[in-house]
Amino acid sequence: MKSRCFIMVLLLCSQVFFSQEKLSIETIYSGAFRPQAMEEFQTLKKSNQYAVLHYDDAQASIQIDLYDFATLKKVATAFDTKNYTRLPPVEAYSFDPTEQLLLLACNIQPIYRHSFKADYFIYDRNKKELTRLTNTPVQEPTFSPDGKQIVFASDNNLFLYNVVSKQTIPLTLDGKKNEIINGICDWVYEEEFSFVKAFDWSLDSKKIAYIRFDERQVPSFAMTVFEKSLYPRVETLKYPKAGEKNATVSVHLYDVDTKTTSAVSLEQYKDFYIPQIQWTKEANVLAAKILNRHQNNLDLLFIDAKTGNTKVILNEKNDKYIDFIDKSSLTFLADNRFIWTSELDGYHHIYIYDKTGKLIRQLTKGNWEITQFYGLDEKNKKIFYQSVENGSLNRDVYSIDLDGKNKKRLSQKTGTHDATFSSDYSYYINSYSSVTTPTVYTLNDAKTGKELQFIETNETLKSRMLSYDLPSKTFFTLKTDAGVSLNAWMIKPKNFVATKKYPVVMYQYSGPGSQMVKNEWLNYNDFWFMHLAEQEYIVVCVDGRGTGFRGETFKKMTYKQLGKYEVEDQIAAAKVLGSYSYIDSSRIGIFGWSFGGFMATNCILKGNDVFKMAIAVAPVTNWRFYDTIYTERYLQTPQENPQGYDDNSPIHFANQLQGKLLLIHGSSDDNVHVQNSMLMMEALIQANKQFDSQIYPDKNHGIYGGMTRIQLYHKMTNFIKESL
């Protein structure tokens, strides 16, 4: 009997073993492992509810549903497309302050990384009326605080729409492509300061502040767009490369009642940036951040909208550069005291100042970083934030009182937590994931952090993954021969045998302040790495010096010599890995995208005795070709620091190539121009070096669309198998 049971168990185990599925690139990039999320999730401020966009396949409709924060019960459907069959699919939405009007975005057309234009419709929930905002696509429509008007941008100008009269008037008239932009960021601001809407309503709805960009002196960059036309067209955009002229920026104030505009005098500043404007809690006081071109001197300016007078409330200097880690780094209290985040003590922390700019106290302290400021519960004098206090690989949610006392860790599980709070800060919806746990959404109590109810657990994804028996990603600390300790992860083949010798593919990004080694759920690349592991490769990622969340000293040591220590660390890490008994030191390759492509190219050239193969996707090959804001932040200008540019640009070391190199680029990359790869290719050709390359027609920095990603990852997989 025991023998028969043993045989049955053995047969069952064999069936499980042989039924395990293998990963395929098609499966990965069709989204099979994408976790369920709360689509277009928004917190409503007035009703203490939240809204979610639902796609109802059974009803062939899209709903915007409202839920009560305390119970998670559905309260209402704010909008349902089944009642408006001629309306295009709703892709995004926003509420007015009364929460009775909705702005619906349809037919979204991406412009750059963050920007897009769309067809917008206004829906009145009380009257059940749907009105088109304009007859053409527009950008960034925004309700006034009283909900009576909407500002939007179109063709580089700003317009004001009256919700009651349905009349539109222009706020500006001088907008023109590649010359003047009103209220919308130019390319370099959008890419490097990560915002699009460069205008803001005053709290009393009487004034609109906006930034004007004069691009006329900015050099142009032209891209050929092939499409399927007989004659390709040329797309031209203003792109300030390192050392070249930026747009001239200015701040303007529009008075809604008088319909007049005044310019703010900023004559005391020369060659500067305005990375943020924001009205304070005083209706006539506008705050503006003024950053010098070297990005090491920041003024917080208060502008009196009545008199036009300006006053520096706070000044911050840094001997290297000021880094905007948390984009919501300025929050005003009712009395105009303000919350500020900064690296003043060497780590990114939270500070509170009075309305005159006098420091009241530093609210958080320690050898760890604040990673996000969530908000302020002014009634209970408590703020909420995310940090890496529980290890730089993890993210946790915390609360602390405004007096700096009673700090509390609200999240408990080790991994990555993110929070969205109810308007009264009594509850929050927590998203949690780790390297082994797909994203879980829960309702939590904001006082204690206690989980009150599950919203989404992604059990279906967990079950699907069981049929693949995937290898695991494990974290470790790699210590180089120079004594530098670096965070790393490794993926080994599932059937790993310690006595075998395995080839290694190293993956990295390595850009300033970045982080690839973190304890969160897997992305598409992770599954591709597991696909490589199924084919007997070990994949390793190492975050070298210059990466983030380990303090200012670790991050900013690459200042003025971008690519030096980062490359040294990847080469040193490869040598350490090569000393492991189960790794074949003669078969180590490296892969990276964008900054990671810059790194991969440099590594196979400067580490030609270590790396056998490299894949560089959309690489920067000379920082002289990249934009002002990013490049000069870390290198200053080429005129000031030519050696910092040239000593670490792979284009100057083409003659050192010994291994196999694959260069990949999209021809319509508006970010890292294909010029980088073209001139790298020319340098390799003139050095009489053999290499492989792939250009993706009309594809941008992300290189996607249709079958593009699948073809791309097949190409890279085949190159690895042939070269390593």
Side-chain angles (χ1 to χ4, degrees):
M1 188 69 178
K2 288 181 180 179
S3 174
R4 188 175 298 171
C5 288
F6 174 76
I7 292 170
M8 288 178 69
V9 170
L10 187 63
L11 285 170
L12 286 170
C13 290
S14 299
Q15 287 177 350
V16 171
F17 177 79
F18 288 113
S19 67
Q20 293 296 327
E21 296 184 53
K22 293 290 185 182
L23 285 170
S24 71
I25 290 170
E26 286 77 8
T27 302
I28 295 168
Y29 290 96
S30 65
F33 301 106
R34 185 190 304 124
Q36 290 293 317
M38 299 176 72
E39 300 290 344
E40 290 294 320
F41 172 57
Q42 295 184 24
T43 296
L44 303 188
K45 295 181 179 179
K46 182 180 179 183
S47 59
N48 210 34
Q49 298 171 356
Y50 67 87
V52 179
L53 195 65
H54 280 152
Y55 297 89
D56 190 333
D57 294 330
Q59 298 291 325
S61 67
I62 300 170
Q63 296 101 38
I64 300 171
D65 291 327
L66 306 182
Y67 294 84
D68 180 78
F69 246 108
T71 65
L72 297 184
K73 290 183 179 179
K74 182 176 174 180
V75 175
T77 294
F79 183 77
D80 193 333
T81 59
K82 72 179 181 182
N83 301 318
Y84 301 89
T85 55
R86 299 180 65 180
L87 183 73
V90 175
E91 300 176 67
Y93 63 91
S94 61
F95 285 86
D96 83 318
T98 70
E99 298 174 6
Q100 295 307 307
L101 297 179
L102 271 165
L103 263 174
L104 308 174
C106 307
N107 297 326
I108 287 178
Q109 304 167 45
I111 302 174
Y112 299 124
R113 186 187 295 268
H114 305 288
S115 58
F116 63 89
K117 57 183 178 180
D119 294 322
Y120 283 92
F121 298 82
I122 304 169
Y123 178 67
D124 189 317
R125 294 175 60 194
N126 291 325
K127 298 178 181 179
K128 310 297 182 188
E129 287 182 358
L130 189 68
T131 305
R132 184 160 185 158
L133 178 62
T134 63
N135 292 323
T136 57
V138 300
Q139 288 182 265
E140 301 293 329
T142 305
F143 282 108
S144 57
D146 62 12
K148 296 178 180 179
Q149 301 191 80
I150 296 171
V151 172
F152 64 86
S154 178
D155 295 328
N156 290 20
N157 281 311
L158 289 175
F159 296 84
L160 188 61
Y161 175 88
N162 188 294
V163 173
V164 177
S165 69
K166 297 181 172 55
Q167 298 298 308
T168 300
I169 61 171
L171 271 60
T172 65
L173 296 170
D174 60 345
K176 186 177 181 181
K177 184 178 180 180
N178 287 336
E179 292 191 12
I180 303 294
I181 312 174
N182 292 293
I184 295 292
C185 286
D186 67 352
W187 185 93
V188 71
Y189 267 62
E190 175 181 336
E191 178 66 26
E192 305 305 353
F193 290 137
S194 300
F195 74 106
V196 176
K197 188 180 73 171
F199 65 85
D200 194 35
W201 280 100
S202 63
L203 289 185
D204 61 5
S205 301
K206 292 183 177 181
K207 289 184 174 61
I208 300 157
Y210 65 91
I211 303 173
R212 179 180 183 268
F213 295 80
D214 185 339
E215 297 187 292
R216 285 174 291 187
Q217 298 302 311
V218 179
S220 298
F221 184 85
M223 297 185 298
T224 300
V225 181
F226 299 96
E227 296 173 330
K228 296 182 180 179
S229 304
L230 184 62
Y231 293 94
R233 63 182 172 88
V234 176
E235 184 71 29
T236 302
L237 70 149
K238 294 289 187 168
Y239 186 108
K241 293 179 184 280
E244 298 297 315
K245 286 191 175 182
N246 284 305
T248 300
V249 288
S250 52
V251 176
H252 300 261
L253 304 174
Y254 178 83
D255 189 296
V256 175
D257 293 334
T258 64
K259 296 181 175 57
T260 58
T261 302
S262 58
V264 175
S265 175
L266 298 174
E267 293 179 352
Q268 66 271 42
Y269 298 103
K270 305 296 180 186
D271 207 359
F272 60 95
Y273 300 111
I274 308 175
Q276 186 178 359
I277 58 170
Q278 177 182 332
W279 288 96
T280 72
K281 290 299 177 70
E282 294 182 17
N284 285 303
V285 178
L286 176 73
K289 291 179 180 176
I290 309 294
L291 186 66
N292 68 331
R293 183 153 180 166
H294 278 168
Q295 298 173 66
N296 57 12
N297 188 93
L298 175 66
D299 282 349
L300 177 63
L301 207 63
F302 275 12
I303 301 163
D304 188 317
K306 288 183 177 180
T307 65
N309 293 336
T310 63
K311 183 178 181 181
V312 176
I313 295 297
L314 183 150
N315 171 260
E316 186 172 316
K317 291 181 173 66
N318 193 287
D319 61 357
K320 294 181 175 66
Y321 57 88
I322 294 168
D323 203 353
F324 293 98
I325 299 171
D326 179 14
K327 307 305 180 187
S328 58
S329 60
L330 178 61
T331 301
F332 289 95
L333 282 70
D335 59 3
N336 245 27
R337 286 179 295 165
F338 57 92
I339 305 293
W340 182 265
T341 63
S342 172
E343 292 179 301
L344 279 172
D345 72 350
Y347 292 86
H348 192 237
H349 281 297
I350 304 175
Y351 299 78
I352 182 169
Y353 291 83
D354 71 15
K355 63 186 295 183
T356 69
K358 180 182 178 181
L359 177 64
I360 298 174
R361 67 180 59 88
Q362 181 176 347
L363 291 172
T364 61
K365 295 180 182 179
N367 297 339
W368 44 269
E369 305 266 348
I370 297 294
T371 45
Q372 193 172 347
F373 175 77
Y374 288 126
L376 164 70
D377 177 3
E378 198 158 359
K379 178 182 176 182
N380 294 302
K381 299 180 180 179
K382 193 178 293 289
I383 63 172
F384 298 89
Y385 63 91
Q386 180 197 63
S387 81
V388 297
E389 187 172 356
N390 188 33
S392 62
L393 275 61
N394 304 306
R395 301 287 187 276
D396 282 286
V397 179
Y398 286 83
S399 66
I400 191 170
D401 291 348
L402 275 176
D403 61 6
K405 299 177 180 178
N406 298 319
K407 183 177 71 172
K408 183 178 294 184
R409 180 185 171 194
L410 299 176
S411 48
Q412 300 302 319
K413 299 173 184 175
T414 300
T416 296
H417 295 264
D418 200 0
T420 303
F421 286 82
S422 60
S423 59
D424 65 358
Y425 290 95
S426 56
Y427 303 97
Y428 67 94
I429 289 178
N430 185 72
S431 68
Y432 162 75
S433 76
S434 71
V435 72
T436 57
T437 307
T439 309
V440 175
Y441 293 92
T442 56
L443 176 69
N444 293 53
D445 181 273
K447 289 183 179 179
T448 64
K450 180 182 178 182
E451 290 182 358
L452 302 176
Q453 194 172 337
F454 285 97
I455 301 171
E456 172 61 63
T457 59
N458 272 297
E459 292 300 325
T460 302
L461 176 56
K462 291 178 186 176
S463 299
R464 184 183 305 129
M465 290 185 61
L466 290 175
S467 64
Y468 285 88
D469 191 30
L470 298 173
S472 59
K473 178 194 280 190
T474 56
F475 297 108
F476 67 104
T477 300
L478 185 148
K479 193 169 186 177
T480 68
D481 289 345
V484 182
S485 294
L486 304 173
N487 294 330
W489 56 251
M490 178 182 290
I491 298 174
K492 295 178 182 177
K494 188 72 176 179
N495 57 350
F496 173 78
V497 178
T499 56
K500 286 181 64 175
K501 291 276 191 180
Y502 293 90
V504 170
V505 176
M506 292 178 65
Y507 164 67
Q508 47 64 58
Y509 178 75
S510 304
S514 66
Q515 185 181 42
M516 295 293 105
V517 183
K518 46 189 173 182
N519 190 8
E520 65 180 12
W521 180 240
L522 312 172
N523 59 34
Y524 287 110
N525 270 350
D526 290 317
F527 287 102
W528 179 54
F529 298 145
M530 291 178 177
H531 174 62
L532 293 176
E534 287 182 343
Q535 298 170 72
E536 300 291 293
Y537 292 92
I538 289 175
V539 184
V540 178
C541 178
V542 179
D543 274 345
R545 287 172 289 180
T547 57
F549 311 107
R550 294 183 58 180
E552 189 179 32
T553 301
F554 187 86
K555 177 178 66 178
K556 295 183 180 179
M557 72 169 302
T558 63
Y559 183 60
K560 295 181 73 172
Q561 43 192 351
L562 206 59
K564 172 179 166 56
Y565 294 109
E566 302 95 318
V567 169
E568 288 179 3
D569 283 351
Q570 295 301 316
I571 293 172
K575 289 179 178 178
V576 172
L577 293 169
S579 70
Y580 293 178
S581 61
Y582 52 84
I583 286 178
D584 185 344
S585 62
S586 68
R587 299 171 67 197
I588 299 177
I590 189 165
F591 158 66
W593 198 306
S594 194
F595 196 102
F598 158 73
M599 288 289 298
T601 312
N602 254 333
C603 283
I604 199 166
L605 300 175
K606 295 190 174 185
N608 55 20
D609 59 332
V610 177
F611 293 103
K612 185 180 181 183
M613 178 277 299
I615 299 175
V617 184
V620 174
T621 60
N622 188 327
W623 287 107
R624 295 172 187 268
F625 302 154
Y626 202 56
D627 74 60
T628 48
I629 294 178
Y630 184 92
T631 311
E632 294 172 12
R633 180 186 300 150
Y634 310 118
L635 286 172
Q636 295 190 350
T637 67
Q639 295 88 342
E640 295 169 301
N641 181 26
Q643 190 172 350
Y645 280 77
D646 298 337
D647 287 356
N648 301 297
S649 288
I651 205 165
H652 298 305
F653 301 93
N655 62 347
Q656 295 181 201
L657 179 65
Q658 293 183 20
K660 300 288 186 179
L661 171 63
L662 173 59
L663 289 169
I664 295 171
H665 224 116
S667 70
S668 290
D669 191 334
D670 60 280
N671 185 352
V672 180
H673 302 149
V674 71
Q675 170 191 26
N676 285 270
S677 284
M678 289 298 186
L679 293 185
M680 187 71 226
M681 291 176 196
E682 175 62 11
L684 290 165
I685 290 166
Q686 295 309 317
N688 194 24
K689 297 294 183 179
Q690 295 300 312
F691 62 95
D692 289 272
S693 64
Q694 174 72 59
I695 300 297
Y696 284 88
D698 297 340
K699 296 300 183 288
N700 64 15
H701 197 56
I703 310 181
Y704 60 86
M707 293 293 290
T708 304
R709 275 291 173 102
I710 291 172
Q711 195 274 351
L712 166 63
Y713 277 82
H714 270 299
K715 184 168 192 66
M716 293 195 296
T717 302
N718 292 337
F719 185 79
I720 290 170
K721 292 162 89 171
E722 293 163 4
S723 306
L724 204 58

